[in-house]
Amino acid sequence: MIMAVFIHDTNIISPLGFSTDDNFQKILSGKSAIEQVFIDDKIGSVYAGKINEDLFNNHFQTINDDFKGSRIVKLLIAALSPIVEKNPLKNDSVLILSTTKGNIAALANNDLNAAFIDQLAKNINSYFGFKTEPIVVSNACTSGVVALSLAKRFIEMEQFTNAYVVAVDELTPFVVSGFQSFQAMSNEPCKPYDADRSGVNLGEAAVAVFVSNENRTESIQILGDANINDANHISGPSRTGEGLFLSIEKALNEAQITSDQIDYISAHGTATLFNDEMEAVAFNRLNLQNVPTNSLKGYFGHTLGASGLLETVITIESLKNNVLIPSFGYQQQGTTQQINIITKKGQKTLKTALKTASGFGGSNSAMILVKNVDHVRN
């Protein structure tokens, strides 16, 4: 018998706020973090989501007023601290870190050791006093969902009692210049799935969740998950959505449900021409085209390795509150195959959600989340 795995407490540090509730309430009010942000003299300004430095420093002082570590370490500490406070570590607790670039900013100071992602994970592991070695997931923009999948599978195999999954990426000149080289950046706030979309906005965030086999009243069960790489291209998605199609199909099979039992989809939705089209194709192949769907990139920007976990947390809040969140920036259909993009906030009884993510190198992920009311597999 497969052990059930649940997501419990969550926390978000983002430009919209420094808790899950702050972020969710801002989204419900229609607030977006996307604005013009100055990067450096060479790049200039771009539309992106950037955490206010003064506000964050004031917030961090309430957690630790004398810590002198790097900014990215502070972001992770701020995200994880309230989770650890509510869920004290056990001897077999494990830290799983999701990130795309980690402390890439350290390279500007020629601090090569600090730039290694495993060193970032070790720093956080040491700060909180984990007894086990940390695990790093860096699988492009699917990293956050993959990290949750990994936590689920380790707990199912009884390798660990629980897992603390944290995700982070910063808005840095290195990251911005990389996306500019792909000509993927929008010169205005992004519009996922819209006919007038012109590219992605970037963002930054740190997110933490606590995962265990304990069945609590307010918990969300991870009912199924899958991660498929279709190896289509170094950066371009499969035109048939093959990897995403297979990921969703496998996740549905593990969850032992069918597509008509999905109440809501939190999709990847980068607002690039090919990603949004690929997702529409994959959803239609699985008869999911009528399920209410949104992208959260218009609120936060694309937070890279943090995006999958960040958007999963907002999906959990949508499930708990039975609310559909509009896909910010969407006005008219921009994909060749119809999908049901949410255009206004609304109440709907929600039990089961699908979270998807896709990334460079052909990586694709899908996760089925269900409220702890039915469908619960023991």
Side-chain angles (χ1 to χ4, degrees):
M1 183 176 294
I2 299 176
M3 182 180 296
V5 177
F6 303 88
I7 300 173
H8 306 297
D9 298 297
T10 69
N11 192 34
I12 297 172
I13 304 294
S14 88
L16 290 182
F18 303 140
S19 71
T20 295
D21 187 62
D22 282 349
N23 279 268
F24 190 62
Q25 293 304 320
K26 290 285 179 59
I27 289 174
L28 290 181
S29 70
K31 174 69 173 176
S32 170
I34 305 301
E35 59 184 5
Q36 281 200 311
V37 176
F38 179 77
I39 303 299
D40 61 17
D41 290 334
K42 183 177 180 179
I43 294 173
S45 295
V46 298
Y47 279 94
K50 176 75 172 175
I51 294 171
N52 182 285
E53 214 63 25
D54 291 335
L55 291 178
F56 174 70
N57 287 334
N58 290 337
H59 174 74
F60 189 78
Q61 285 180 349
T62 67
I63 298 168
N64 188 323
D65 62 1
D66 62 1
F67 182 78
K68 305 301 181 185
S70 64
R71 180 177 184 266
I72 196 167
V73 172
K74 289 181 178 180
L75 287 170
L76 287 167
I77 290 172
L80 191 53
S81 287
I83 305 296
V84 173
E85 184 177 344
K86 294 179 70 174
N87 306 276
L89 302 183
K90 298 181 180 180
N91 287 335
D92 67 342
S93 297
V94 66
L95 175 73
I96 302 178
L97 171 65
S98 162
T99 186
T100 299
K101 294 302 178 186
N103 194 11
I104 197 72
L107 292 180
N109 301 319
N110 294 317
D111 190 350
L112 300 183
N113 184 59
F116 285 107
I117 297 176
D118 69 320
Q119 187 58 52
L120 177 62
K122 289 175 182 177
N123 289 342
I124 300 302
N125 218 55
S126 175
Y127 180 91
F128 286 101
F130 284 87
K131 305 300 183 184
T132 58
E133 288 295 309
I135 297 170
V136 172
V137 176
S138 186
N139 194 44
C141 300
T142 64
S143 299
V145 178
V146 174
L148 268 179
S149 294
L150 195 62
K152 166 181 170 287
R153 295 177 192 188
F154 273 128
I155 292 170
E156 286 176 340
M157 293 186 296
E158 301 184 33
Q159 296 297 302
F160 303 104
T161 302
N162 54 51
Y164 299 74
V165 183
V166 291
V168 68
D169 264 307
E170 291 183 290
L171 186 69
T172 65
F174 181 92
V175 170
V176 173
S177 62
F179 273 81
Q180 283 182 331
S181 71
F182 281 105
Q183 299 182 336
M185 299 277 287
S186 174
N187 60 2
E188 62 180 353
C190 67
K191 303 175 182 179
Y193 306 108
D194 188 74
D196 194 34
R197 68 188 185 277
S198 58
V200 70
N201 301 143
L202 296 175
E204 60 180 7
V207 190
V209 305
F210 178 66
V211 184
S212 81
N213 60 6
E214 183 182 353
N215 190 345
R216 301 179 186 175
T217 303
E218 296 296 320
S219 302
I220 298 293
Q221 186 181 3
I222 305 175
L223 201 63
D225 68 285
N227 305 282
I228 300 290
N229 192 305
D230 56 36
N232 177 76
H233 187 268
I234 191 171
S235 62
S238 164
R239 300 297 188 266
T240 64
E242 192 64 23
L244 184 59
F245 168 83
L246 291 172
S247 295
I248 298 172
E249 185 178 58
K250 286 194 69 174
L252 288 169
N253 288 340
E254 184 189 4
Q256 299 176 20
I257 64 173
T258 56
S259 58
D260 60 356
Q261 291 175 270
I262 299 295
D263 300 312
Y264 158 58
I265 301 172
S266 173
H268 193 55
T270 61
T272 58
L273 180 64
F274 293 126
N275 174 87
D276 294 7
E277 175 69 14
M278 175 275 291
E279 288 187 282
V281 171
F283 293 154
N284 273 266
R285 290 179 64 186
L286 289 151
N287 294 317
L288 291 165
Q289 65 271 18
N290 296 319
V291 178
T293 300
N294 68 8
S295 165
L296 295 169
K297 300 295 191 294
Y299 296 97
F300 297 103
H302 192 347
T303 57
L304 307 181
S307 64
L309 196 62
L310 170 64
E311 293 161 13
T312 296
V313 172
I314 298 299
T315 299
I316 288 170
E317 292 303 304
S318 293
L319 283 172
K320 288 181 176 180
N321 291 276
N322 293 308
V323 62
L324 294 175
I325 297 171
S327 194
F328 197 95
Y330 179 84
Q331 292 182 319
Q332 57 182 327
Q333 181 187 339
T335 55
T336 60
Q337 297 195 41
Q338 181 74 45
I339 48 177
N340 186 13
I341 301 299
I342 304 166
T343 58
K344 60 181 180 179
K345 183 176 68 176
Q347 293 294 132
K348 179 186 177 183
T349 300
L350 301 176
K351 295 181 181 179
T352 307
L354 167 65
K355 175 71 196 108
T356 64
S358 299
F360 287 171
S363 54
N364 297 274
S365 297
M367 181 166 285
I368 310 293
L369 304 167
V370 63
K371 274 196 296 200
N372 194 7
V373 288
D374 61 8
H375 296 314
V376 174
R377 184 182 60 213
N378 295 316

Short mmCIF file of all heavy atoms in Angstrom, two decimals, residues 232-273:
data_model
loop_
_atom_site.label_atom_id
_atom_site.label_comp_id
_atom_site.label_asym_id
_atom_site.label_seq_id
_atom_site.Cartn_x
_atom_site.Cartn_y
_atom_site.Cartn_z
N ASN A 232 13.29 17.72 -26.58
CA ASN A 232 12.95 18.33 -27.86
C ASN A 232 14.01 19.32 -28.34
O ASN A 232 14.40 19.31 -29.50
CB ASN A 232 11.60 19.05 -27.74
CG ASN A 232 11.20 19.78 -29.00
OD1 ASN A 232 10.78 19.16 -29.97
ND2 ASN A 232 11.35 21.10 -29.01
N HIS A 233 14.48 20.18 -27.44
CA HIS A 233 15.37 21.27 -27.84
C HIS A 233 16.00 21.86 -26.59
O HIS A 233 15.46 21.74 -25.49
CB HIS A 233 14.56 22.34 -28.59
CG HIS A 233 15.37 23.44 -29.21
ND1 HIS A 233 15.65 24.61 -28.54
CD2 HIS A 233 15.95 23.55 -30.43
CE1 HIS A 233 16.39 25.40 -29.32
NE2 HIS A 233 16.57 24.78 -30.47
N ILE A 234 17.14 22.54 -26.74
CA ILE A 234 17.80 23.12 -25.58
C ILE A 234 16.94 24.17 -24.89
O ILE A 234 17.02 24.38 -23.68
CB ILE A 234 19.17 23.70 -25.97
CG1 ILE A 234 19.98 24.06 -24.72
CG2 ILE A 234 19.01 24.90 -26.90
CD1 ILE A 234 21.41 24.44 -25.00
N SER A 235 16.09 24.86 -25.66
CA SER A 235 15.24 25.88 -25.04
C SER A 235 13.79 25.84 -25.53
O SER A 235 12.90 26.29 -24.81
CB SER A 235 15.81 27.28 -25.28
OG SER A 235 15.85 27.57 -26.67
N GLY A 236 13.54 25.32 -26.71
CA GLY A 236 12.19 25.33 -27.27
C GLY A 236 11.37 24.11 -26.88
O GLY A 236 11.88 22.99 -26.88
N PRO A 237 10.09 24.31 -26.54
CA PRO A 237 9.24 23.17 -26.17
C PRO A 237 8.78 22.37 -27.39
O PRO A 237 8.77 22.87 -28.51
CB PRO A 237 8.03 23.86 -25.50
CG PRO A 237 7.95 25.19 -26.18
CD PRO A 237 9.38 25.60 -26.45
N SER A 238 8.39 21.14 -27.13
CA SER A 238 7.84 20.29 -28.18
C SER A 238 6.57 20.92 -28.74
O SER A 238 5.70 21.36 -28.00
CB SER A 238 7.51 18.91 -27.61
OG SER A 238 6.66 18.19 -28.48
N ARG A 239 6.45 20.96 -30.07
CA ARG A 239 5.26 21.58 -30.67
C ARG A 239 4.00 20.75 -30.42
O ARG A 239 2.89 21.27 -30.46
CB ARG A 239 5.47 21.74 -32.19
CG ARG A 239 6.66 22.62 -32.56
CD ARG A 239 6.51 24.06 -32.08
NE ARG A 239 7.56 24.89 -32.59
CZ ARG A 239 8.70 25.18 -31.96
NH1 ARG A 239 8.93 24.66 -30.75
NH2 ARG A 239 9.61 25.96 -32.52
N THR A 240 4.18 19.45 -30.12
CA THR A 240 3.02 18.61 -29.84
C THR A 240 2.73 18.51 -28.34
O THR A 240 1.80 17.82 -27.94
CB THR A 240 3.25 17.19 -30.40
OG1 THR A 240 4.35 16.59 -29.72
CG2 THR A 240 3.51 17.23 -31.90
N GLY A 241 3.56 19.17 -27.53
CA GLY A 241 3.38 19.09 -26.09
C GLY A 241 3.62 17.71 -25.53
O GLY A 241 3.05 17.36 -24.49
N GLU A 242 4.48 16.93 -26.17
CA GLU A 242 4.62 15.52 -25.83
C GLU A 242 5.03 15.30 -24.37
O GLU A 242 4.43 14.48 -23.67
CB GLU A 242 5.64 14.85 -26.76
CG GLU A 242 5.65 13.33 -26.68
CD GLU A 242 4.34 12.70 -27.13
OE1 GLU A 242 3.60 13.35 -27.90
OE2 GLU A 242 4.07 11.57 -26.72
N GLY A 243 6.06 16.01 -23.93
CA GLY A 243 6.53 15.80 -22.57
C GLY A 243 5.50 16.20 -21.53
O GLY A 243 5.31 15.50 -20.52
N LEU A 244 4.81 17.31 -21.76
CA LEU A 244 3.78 17.74 -20.82
C LEU A 244 2.59 16.79 -20.86
O LEU A 244 2.04 16.41 -19.82
CB LEU A 244 3.33 19.17 -21.16
CG LEU A 244 2.31 19.78 -20.20
CD1 LEU A 244 2.84 19.83 -18.77
CD2 LEU A 244 1.91 21.18 -20.66
N PHE A 245 2.21 16.36 -22.05
CA PHE A 245 1.13 15.39 -22.20
C PHE A 245 1.41 14.12 -21.40
O PHE A 245 0.57 13.65 -20.63
CB PHE A 245 0.95 15.05 -23.69
CG PHE A 245 0.06 13.86 -23.95
CD1 PHE A 245 -1.31 13.99 -23.98
CD2 PHE A 245 0.62 12.59 -24.15
CE1 PHE A 245 -2.13 12.88 -24.22
CE2 PHE A 245 -0.18 11.49 -24.38
CZ PHE A 245 -1.56 11.64 -24.41
N LEU A 246 2.61 13.58 -21.55
CA LEU A 246 2.97 12.34 -20.86
C LEU A 246 3.04 12.56 -19.34
O LEU A 246 2.65 11.69 -18.56
CB LEU A 246 4.30 11.81 -21.38
CG LEU A 246 4.28 11.28 -22.81
CD1 LEU A 246 5.71 10.95 -23.28
CD2 LEU A 246 3.39 10.04 -22.93
N SER A 247 3.54 13.71 -18.92
CA SER A 247 3.62 14.01 -17.49
C SER A 247 2.23 14.04 -16.86
O SER A 247 2.00 13.44 -15.80
CB SER A 247 4.33 15.35 -17.26
OG SER A 247 5.67 15.32 -17.68
N ILE A 248 1.31 14.76 -17.50
CA ILE A 248 -0.05 14.85 -16.96
C ILE A 248 -0.72 13.48 -16.98
O ILE A 248 -1.38 13.08 -16.02
CB ILE A 248 -0.88 15.87 -17.77
CG1 ILE A 248 -0.27 17.26 -17.65
CG2 ILE A 248 -2.34 15.88 -17.27
CD1 ILE A 248 -0.91 18.30 -18.57
N GLU A 249 -0.55 12.75 -18.08
CA GLU A 249 -1.16 11.42 -18.20
C GLU A 249 -0.67 10.50 -17.09
O GLU A 249 -1.48 9.80 -16.45
CB GLU A 249 -0.82 10.83 -19.57
CG GLU A 249 -1.49 9.49 -19.85
CD GLU A 249 -1.15 8.97 -21.23
OE1 GLU A 249 0.05 8.80 -21.54
OE2 GLU A 249 -2.08 8.74 -22.03
N LYS A 250 0.62 10.50 -16.82
CA LYS A 250 1.16 9.64 -15.77
C LYS A 250 0.69 10.08 -14.38
O LYS A 250 0.41 9.25 -13.52
CB LYS A 250 2.69 9.64 -15.83
CG LYS A 250 3.28 8.84 -16.99
CD LYS A 250 4.76 8.59 -16.80
CE LYS A 250 5.03 7.63 -15.66
NZ LYS A 250 6.47 7.26 -15.56
N ALA A 251 0.62 11.40 -14.16
CA ALA A 251 0.16 11.90 -12.87
C ALA A 251 -1.30 11.52 -12.63
O ALA A 251 -1.68 11.12 -11.52
CB ALA A 251 0.34 13.41 -12.80
N LEU A 252 -2.13 11.63 -13.66
CA LEU A 252 -3.53 11.22 -13.55
C LEU A 252 -3.64 9.73 -13.25
O LEU A 252 -4.47 9.30 -12.43
CB LEU A 252 -4.29 11.56 -14.84
CG LEU A 252 -4.57 13.03 -15.12
CD1 LEU A 252 -5.08 13.20 -16.54
CD2 LEU A 252 -5.59 13.60 -14.13
N ASN A 253 -2.83 8.93 -13.92
CA ASN A 253 -2.87 7.48 -13.70
C ASN A 253 -2.47 7.13 -12.28
O ASN A 253 -3.09 6.26 -11.65
CB ASN A 253 -1.94 6.78 -14.70
CG ASN A 253 -2.48 6.80 -16.12
OD1 ASN A 253 -3.68 6.99 -16.32
ND2 ASN A 253 -1.61 6.60 -17.09
N GLU A 254 -1.43 7.79 -11.76
CA GLU A 254 -1.03 7.50 -10.38
C GLU A 254 -2.11 7.92 -9.40
O GLU A 254 -2.38 7.24 -8.40
CB GLU A 254 0.28 8.21 -10.03
CG GLU A 254 0.75 7.85 -8.63
CD GLU A 254 1.91 8.69 -8.14
OE1 GLU A 254 2.33 9.63 -8.85
OE2 GLU A 254 2.40 8.41 -7.04
N ALA A 255 -2.74 9.07 -9.68
CA ALA A 255 -3.81 9.56 -8.80
C ALA A 255 -5.08 8.74 -8.91
O ALA A 255 -5.98 8.87 -8.08
CB ALA A 255 -4.11 11.02 -9.13
N GLN A 256 -5.16 7.93 -9.96
CA GLN A 256 -6.33 7.09 -10.21
C GLN A 256 -7.60 7.94 -10.41
O GLN A 256 -8.67 7.63 -9.90
CB GLN A 256 -6.52 6.06 -9.09
CG GLN A 256 -5.36 5.10 -8.95
CD GLN A 256 -5.52 4.15 -7.77
OE1 GLN A 256 -6.62 3.93 -7.27
NE2 GLN A 256 -4.41 3.56 -7.33
N ILE A 257 -7.42 9.03 -11.15
CA ILE A 257 -8.55 9.87 -11.52
C ILE A 257 -8.48 10.14 -13.02
O ILE A 257 -7.47 9.85 -13.67
CB ILE A 257 -8.58 11.20 -10.74
CG1 ILE A 257 -7.36 12.05 -11.08
CG2 ILE A 257 -8.67 10.95 -9.23
CD1 ILE A 257 -7.41 13.45 -10.48
N THR A 258 -9.53 10.71 -13.56
CA THR A 258 -9.59 11.06 -14.98
C THR A 258 -9.60 12.57 -15.13
O THR A 258 -9.81 13.31 -14.17
CB THR A 258 -10.83 10.45 -15.64
OG1 THR A 258 -12.00 10.89 -14.92
CG2 THR A 258 -10.77 8.93 -15.62
N SER A 259 -9.38 13.03 -16.35
CA SER A 259 -9.27 14.47 -16.60
C SER A 259 -10.53 15.23 -16.22
O SER A 259 -10.45 16.41 -15.86
CB SER A 259 -8.92 14.71 -18.07
OG SER A 259 -9.89 14.14 -18.93
N ASP A 260 -11.69 14.58 -16.28
CA ASP A 260 -12.93 15.30 -15.94
C ASP A 260 -13.08 15.53 -14.43
O ASP A 260 -14.03 16.18 -14.00
CB ASP A 260 -14.16 14.57 -16.50
CG ASP A 260 -14.31 13.15 -15.97
OD1 ASP A 260 -13.42 12.69 -15.22
OD2 ASP A 260 -15.32 12.51 -16.32
N GLN A 261 -12.16 15.00 -13.64
CA GLN A 261 -12.19 15.23 -12.20
C GLN A 261 -11.27 16.38 -11.77
O GLN A 261 -11.21 16.71 -10.59
CB GLN A 261 -11.80 13.95 -11.45
CG GLN A 261 -12.84 12.84 -11.55
CD GLN A 261 -12.35 11.55 -10.90
OE1 GLN A 261 -11.73 10.71 -11.55
NE2 GLN A 261 -12.63 11.39 -9.62
N ILE A 262 -10.59 16.98 -12.74
CA ILE A 262 -9.76 18.14 -12.45
C ILE A 262 -10.63 19.40 -12.44
O ILE A 262 -11.32 19.70 -13.42
CB ILE A 262 -8.63 18.30 -13.49
CG1 ILE A 262 -7.72 17.07 -13.49
CG2 ILE A 262 -7.83 19.57 -13.24
CD1 ILE A 262 -6.95 16.86 -12.21
N ASP A 263 -10.60 20.14 -11.34
CA ASP A 263 -11.44 21.34 -11.20
C ASP A 263 -10.74 22.61 -11.64
O ASP A 263 -11.39 23.61 -11.95
CB ASP A 263 -11.87 21.50 -9.74
CG ASP A 263 -12.67 20.32 -9.24
OD1 ASP A 263 -13.62 19.90 -9.94
OD2 ASP A 263 -12.35 19.81 -8.14
N TYR A 264 -9.41 22.58 -11.66
CA TYR A 264 -8.66 23.82 -11.91
C TYR A 264 -7.23 23.46 -12.32
O TYR A 264 -6.65 22.51 -11.80
CB TYR A 264 -8.67 24.68 -10.64
CG TYR A 264 -7.57 25.71 -10.51
CD1 TYR A 264 -7.39 26.70 -11.46
CD2 TYR A 264 -6.70 25.69 -9.42
CE1 TYR A 264 -6.39 27.64 -11.35
CE2 TYR A 264 -5.69 26.62 -9.29
CZ TYR A 264 -5.54 27.60 -10.26
OH TYR A 264 -4.53 28.52 -10.15
N ILE A 265 -6.66 24.24 -13.24
CA ILE A 265 -5.28 24.05 -13.68
C ILE A 265 -4.49 25.32 -13.42
O ILE A 265 -4.85 26.40 -13.90
CB ILE A 265 -5.18 23.71 -15.18
CG1 ILE A 265 -5.96 22.43 -15.51
CG2 ILE A 265 -3.71 23.55 -15.59
CD1 ILE A 265 -6.05 22.15 -17.01
N SER A 266 -3.41 25.18 -12.67
CA SER A 266 -2.42 26.25 -12.55
C SER A 266 -1.30 25.90 -13.52
O SER A 266 -0.47 25.02 -13.24
CB SER A 266 -1.88 26.35 -11.12
OG SER A 266 -0.81 27.29 -11.06
N ALA A 267 -1.28 26.57 -14.66
CA ALA A 267 -0.36 26.20 -15.74
C ALA A 267 0.94 27.01 -15.66
O ALA A 267 1.09 27.90 -14.82
CB ALA A 267 -1.04 26.42 -17.08
N HIS A 268 1.87 26.68 -16.54
CA HIS A 268 3.18 27.34 -16.55
C HIS A 268 3.06 28.76 -17.11
O HIS A 268 3.51 29.72 -16.49
CB HIS A 268 4.17 26.50 -17.35
CG HIS A 268 5.59 26.89 -17.17
ND1 HIS A 268 6.19 26.97 -15.92
CD2 HIS A 268 6.56 27.23 -18.07
CE1 HIS A 268 7.45 27.33 -16.06
NE2 HIS A 268 7.70 27.49 -17.35
N GLY A 269 2.51 28.89 -18.30
CA GLY A 269 2.12 30.18 -18.87
C GLY A 269 3.17 31.27 -18.82
O GLY A 269 2.98 32.29 -18.16
N THR A 270 4.26 31.12 -19.57
CA THR A 270 5.33 32.12 -19.53
C THR A 270 5.04 33.34 -20.39
O THR A 270 5.74 34.34 -20.30
CB THR A 270 6.66 31.51 -20.01
OG1 THR A 270 6.50 31.06 -21.37
CG2 THR A 270 7.09 30.37 -19.12
N ALA A 271 4.03 33.28 -21.24
CA ALA A 271 3.67 34.34 -22.19
C ALA A 271 4.62 34.40 -23.38
O ALA A 271 4.61 35.37 -24.14
CB ALA A 271 3.59 35.71 -21.51
N THR A 272 5.43 33.36 -23.57
CA THR A 272 6.20 33.25 -24.81
C THR A 272 5.33 32.56 -25.85
O THR A 272 4.42 31.80 -25.52
CB THR A 272 7.50 32.46 -24.60
OG1 THR A 272 7.19 31.16 -24.10
CG2 THR A 272 8.42 33.17 -23.63
N LEU A 273 5.64 32.80 -27.11
CA LEU A 273 4.80 32.30 -28.20
C LEU A 273 4.68 30.78 -28.16
O LEU A 273 3.58 30.23 -28.23
CB LEU A 273 5.38 32.75 -29.54
CG LEU A 273 4.62 32.30 -30.79
CD1 LEU A 273 3.23 32.91 -30.82
CD2 LEU A 273 5.40 32.69 -32.05
#
